[in-house]
């Protein structure tokens, strides 16, 4: 009876070793199929570096449509803020109102949102007569219509 039990145990040990080997091979195959992790940091650095040295690639097709829609939304939001605040805003003030998520997305997908880029995008939309934006003599931007009391309060401040 003891010999019989020892044979059964040896048979089970062989099966267990075989299953362990099969498990190891399957784990190696699964690991080979896993996608490699993507490091977005170099992409962001390349985008920042290329925008800081003035390198711009010409977009076309879907990339152009996406970029135009993105920048239209950014500029339209700035125009809406001017209307809500009821006063002209400088580019520096507008930059403070742009969320960090939007800035990070722009840096990865399009170009870094900085003072120069935002000013350029606003000027492009003014040329296209979008969002009622216009530039004042002091460099701030305004939108038609301003709040009804804007001129009165600025006239009082000047007096």
């Amino acid at each position: 009876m003891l010999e019989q039990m020892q044979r059964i145990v040896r048979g089970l040990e062989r099966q267990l070793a075989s299953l362990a080997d099969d498990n190891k091979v399957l784990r190696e195959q699964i690991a080979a199929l896993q996608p490699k992790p993507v490091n977005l940091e170099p992409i962001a650095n390349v985008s920042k570096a290329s925008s800081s040295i003035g390198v711009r690639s010409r977009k076309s097709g879907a990339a152009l449509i996406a970029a135009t829609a993105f920048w239209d939304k950014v500029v339209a939001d700035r125009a809406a803020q001017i209307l809500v605040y009821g006063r002209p805003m400088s580019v520096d003030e507008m930059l403070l109102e742009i969320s960090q998520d939007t800035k990070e997305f722009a840096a990865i997908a399009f170009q870094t949102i900085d003072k120069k880029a935002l000013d350029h995008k606003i000027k492009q939309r003014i040329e296209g007569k979008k969002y009622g934006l216009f530039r004042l003599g002091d460099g701030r931007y305004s939108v038609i219509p301003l709040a009804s009391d804007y001129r009165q309060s600025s006239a009082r401040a000047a007096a």
Side-chain angles (χ1 to χ4, degrees), residues 141-156:
Y141 290 98
S142 191
V143 177
I144 301 172
L146 286 172
S148 59
D149 62 340
Y150 170 72
R151 296 203 191 292
Q152 295 168 354
S153 62
S154 64
R156 278 188 231 131

Side-chain angles (χ1 to χ4, degrees), residues 119-157:
D119 190 52
H120 176 71
K121 298 303 180 181
I122 292 171
K123 285 177 182 174
Q124 284 180 326
R125 272 72 189 168
I126 288 173
E127 289 172 12
K129 300 187 185 335
K130 287 187 172 184
Y131 314 116
L133 283 162
F134 62 95
R135 188 178 176 129
L136 298 173
D138 61 1
R140 295 179 301 158
Y141 290 98
S142 191
V143 177
I144 301 172
L146 286 172
S148 59
D149 62 340
Y150 170 72
R151 296 203 191 292
Q152 295 168 354
S153 62
S154 64
R156 278 188 231 131

Side-chain angles (χ1 to χ4, degrees), residues 3-127:
E3 285 179 26
Q4 215 175 9
M5 289 303 260
Q6 288 174 339
R7 277 184 287 187
I8 292 173
V9 168
R10 282 192 297 266
L12 289 173
E13 287 174 343
R14 281 191 297 262
Q15 285 180 341
L16 186 59
S18 175
L19 288 173
D21 290 340
D22 290 346
N23 187 12
K24 181 181 176 185
V25 169
L26 288 173
R27 286 184 181 273
E28 289 170 356
Q29 290 174 347
I30 289 171
L33 295 174
Q34 293 293 327
K36 302 294 185 238
V38 176
N39 184 0
L40 294 180
E41 189 61 30
I43 294 171
N45 287 341
V46 168
S47 176
K48 288 177 186 174
S50 67
S51 66
S52 67
I53 60 174
V55 175
R56 300 279 187 263
S57 62
R58 291 284 173 188
K59 291 178 177 66
S60 63
L64 176 62
I65 292 168
T68 301
F70 173 80
W71 288 110
D72 278 348
K73 175 74 171 129
V74 169
V75 174
D77 288 350
R78 304 299 65 85
Q81 279 182 324
I82 291 170
L83 285 173
V84 168
Y85 291 164
R87 62 174 179 78
M89 292 178 73
S90 69
V91 175
D92 289 325
E93 290 175 305
M94 290 183 214
L95 277 172
L96 295 174
E97 298 294 326
I98 298 173
S99 72
Q100 189 60 35
D101 289 342
T102 300
K103 290 177 182 176
E104 290 171 4
F105 177 73
I108 292 170
F110 305 110
Q111 76 183 81
T112 303
I113 299 179
D114 57 14
K115 185 176 180 175
K116 182 179 175 182
L118 183 58
D119 190 52
H120 176 71
K121 298 303 180 181
I122 292 171
K123 285 177 182 174
Q124 284 180 326
R125 272 72 189 168
I126 288 173
E127 289 172 12

